[in-house]
Amino acid sequence: PRACDFLDLYLSDPEPGTRSMGAEQGLRLFLKDFETDPQGYAEWRKRTRGLPDEEVWKIAGSDFLEQVRKAGPSDVSSGALPIWSAAWGPAWKHIQGPEMVQALSRWIASGDAQAISNSLYLADRCGTSEEFLRNNAVPFLANPETRLSAISAISGPGKRWAIPELTPHLHDADPEVVSRTVDALCQIGDPAVMPEIIEAMKRAGS
């Protein structure tokens, strides 16, 4: 069955536990939390019933961007705005773009370490530019609270420019930072940095 019809069986169920399971899946698809808002779900379903799934994802994306416009850093840090779930949902292609990048800039500039981390983990999936990442991710490599998310933000195929920013963290005292840096450099895929990766893995194993 269509995903929306399937989830409707959960979200319209009288049993709270069943609705909770449906709401969890809905966050990944619809990008709204209907667990404690059955009336909100009923209204949303009126708007979407009978539409092809792709039309539903467009509506979900539009609804989510409306939330993004209003969201402050506390919404991002607390998880009230489910940006991480959004990035893996089918509506994401209707969300990523200039408006989302502007929101990430706003949240990163807030000074809220958790909001910064959550935003940086999402940055690469928003199609951010090298300039954006240099200005908004690289500076947070210096902060232990945001280092892991900053490493994640500048990893990925083709980001050779990030290698000099990453390689010093192969010597970090935190094994998780070293591991994340190794993963990031492997994703970038430049064979020239392989000897440094191997040395870091040897140190980690000793």
Side-chain angles (χ1 to χ4, degrees):
R2 293 167 58 245
C4 298
D5 292 338
F6 181 73
L7 281 170
D8 194 45
L9 297 174
Y10 283 91
L11 289 165
S12 60
D13 195 280
E15 170 58 44
T18 304
R19 289 200 306 275
S20 178
M21 287 189 290
E24 184 178 344
Q25 295 302 317
L27 283 172
R28 299 174 186 172
L29 298 172
F30 303 143
L31 317 179
K32 293 189 75 174
D33 188 352
F34 291 116
E35 182 175 0
T36 59
D37 187 14
Q39 183 57 39
Y41 171 71
E43 292 171 2
W44 186 88
R45 189 61 174 143
K46 283 180 184 177
R47 295 168 57 204
T48 58
R49 190 180 298 279
L51 294 177
D53 277 356
E54 193 54 41
E55 289 299 312
V56 175
W57 308 144
K58 287 181 183 179
I59 291 171
S62 177
D63 288 351
F64 187 74
L65 283 176
E66 184 60 34
Q67 295 179 66
V68 164
R69 293 181 194 108
K70 300 173 182 176
S74 61
D75 298 305
V76 179
S77 61
S78 69
L81 183 73
I83 56 174
W84 187 248
S85 297
W88 299 101
W92 185 244
K93 64 183 176 182
H94 303 293
I95 296 167
Q96 57 181 313
E99 192 166 4
M100 193 68 202
V101 173
Q102 289 171 10
L104 290 178
S105 297
R106 188 173 77 247
W107 300 329
I108 289 169
S110 70
D112 180 324
Q114 190 58 56
I116 292 166
S117 287
N118 290 353
S119 299
L120 288 176
Y121 277 124
L122 194 62
D124 188 49
R125 292 190 58 80
C126 287
T128 47
S129 66
E130 177 182 333
E131 180 183 8
F132 177 94
L133 293 173
R134 283 186 181 277
N135 292 334
N136 293 280
V138 170
F140 291 102
L141 289 168
N143 185 339
E145 290 186 270
T146 55
R147 185 169 295 145
L148 290 174
S149 56
I151 290 169
S152 178
I154 63 174
S155 64
K159 290 191 174 70
R160 285 185 170 84
W161 63 265
I163 291 174
E165 307 292 350
L166 289 167
T167 49
H169 299 287
L170 290 173
H171 300 273
D172 199 281
D174 184 341
E176 189 175 3
V177 170
V178 175
S179 176
R180 190 73 61 86
T181 303
V182 167
D183 287 345
L185 290 168
C186 288
Q187 287 180 46
I188 292 170
D190 188 338
V193 78
M194 191 56 67
E196 291 182 76
I197 292 174
I198 291 171
E199 286 304 311
M201 294 174 70
K202 285 180 179 177
R203 287 194 299 272
S206 61

